[in-house]
Amino acid sequence: MNKIILGVLVLAAAISSSTVDARACERGLRKGQREVNRMWRNQFDEDCDEIIDLGRKVNRMVRRRFRETRRDNWWRREIKRCAKIGAADMLQKYEKKCFEDDSILCDALAEAAAESIVFENVCVPETEDSAEASYDMGRKPIRASRPDYKKSCRNVAIESCPGLIKPKIRRHCRGRDRNVKTSQLRALQELCEDAVIYLL
């Protein structure tokens, strides 16, 4: 009889513990999603031109706010673990919106890469209107099994950039600088991948 009562108590404790685990994870997921959503709205005004910086800031925030310590009990560790997943989910949602659903950003990236190649290797533009953007490739995905919209956009820009080199030369260069040999053009086109990676 005592064994039956003890078995029932152990089973009840196990069921109660798994419910508490699920609540900790749900709480962490919501917390991570809320943090990224707030950051996207308040700091970036939901502007896709700033999506690259959002990824960096989210990764920094995750490392700072959801880092597990030895002092954390199992409940806090579970909340922090799930908060990282929630933050990654929201970041992926916004990256999909900016990189996948609308290719304008990828086209602009290819143009910027082609322009930077022309400016560094063929001619310097007469005006100072073109702004240079430099981005650090420090973003590491939190979970590798997710679709990588940023990588997909990068690949589109790398493929588009070579076709934009010659039009950029025509647009920005004068005189002899406009006459680029085929071998020179090919060499410039081969710089596209590095230029896109540097920008994104």
Side-chain angles (χ1 to χ4, degrees):
M1 177 81 166
N2 286 340
K3 287 183 181 181
I4 294 173
I5 292 172
L6 183 62
V8 169
L9 289 175
V10 168
L11 181 62
I15 291 170
S16 167
S17 173
S18 68
T19 304
V20 170
D21 284 352
R23 281 187 294 180
C25 191
E26 287 171 15
R27 184 175 174 186
L29 281 170
R30 283 193 308 271
K31 188 173 188 171
Q33 290 170 344
R34 215 173 22 248
E35 288 292 323
V36 174
N37 195 15
R38 187 178 304 130
M39 190 181 291
W40 178 239
R41 278 192 333 263
N42 298 340
Q43 293 180 23
F44 296 94
D45 295 325
E46 300 182 30
D47 182 3
C48 280
D49 289 341
E50 305 295 329
I51 189 70
I52 296 164
D53 291 330
L54 176 69
R56 278 194 216 101
K57 285 210 174 195
V58 166
N59 285 329
R60 193 176 314 132
M61 180 270 299
V62 163
R63 284 192 304 270
R64 192 182 75 244
R65 298 221 33 216
F66 303 128
R67 186 182 72 230
E68 296 175 28
T69 65
R70 283 187 283 173
R71 291 183 293 176
D72 289 341
N73 61 20
W74 67 269
W75 173 263
R76 284 195 185 113
R77 278 193 304 270
E78 185 66 3
I79 287 174
K80 288 178 179 180
R81 183 185 72 79
C82 292
K84 292 174 190 176
I85 294 168
D89 285 343
M90 286 307 285
L91 177 60
Q92 183 184 28
K93 172 187 169 185
Y94 295 130
E95 284 184 341
K96 181 183 185 303
K97 175 186 172 191
C98 295
F99 291 133
E100 177 76 3
D101 295 346
D102 187 357
S103 67
I104 291 172
L105 186 64
C106 305
D107 296 339
L109 179 63
E111 286 212 23
E115 210 164 68
S116 72
I117 291 169
V118 169
F119 294 167
E120 290 177 20
N121 297 284
V122 181
C123 68
V124 177
E126 294 176 13
T127 63
E128 296 295 326
D129 292 342
S130 57
E132 290 184 28
S134 62
Y135 299 106
D136 175 24
M137 283 295 294
R139 176 167 137 42
K140 293 179 183 168
I142 295 172
R143 266 190 349 193
S145 62
R146 303 172 179 278
D148 193 344
Y149 300 112
K150 191 175 182 180
K151 181 179 180 182
S152 181
C153 179
R154 184 184 310 124
N155 291 339
V156 167
I158 288 169
E159 290 173 15
S160 300
C161 173
L164 296 170
I165 296 286
K166 193 153 186 149
K168 293 295 176 185
I169 291 171
R170 286 188 190 127
R171 180 175 175 199
H172 295 291
C173 301
R174 303 279 179 249
R176 283 188 347 202
D177 288 336
R178 291 185 83 173
N179 300 326
V180 178
K181 295 179 183 174
T182 306
S183 59
Q184 291 172 319
L185 181 61
R186 186 66 202 136
L188 294 171
Q189 290 170 334
E190 289 174 1
L191 298 173
C192 281
E193 182 172 0
D194 290 340
V196 169
I197 288 170
Y198 176 75
L199 291 170
L200 186 62

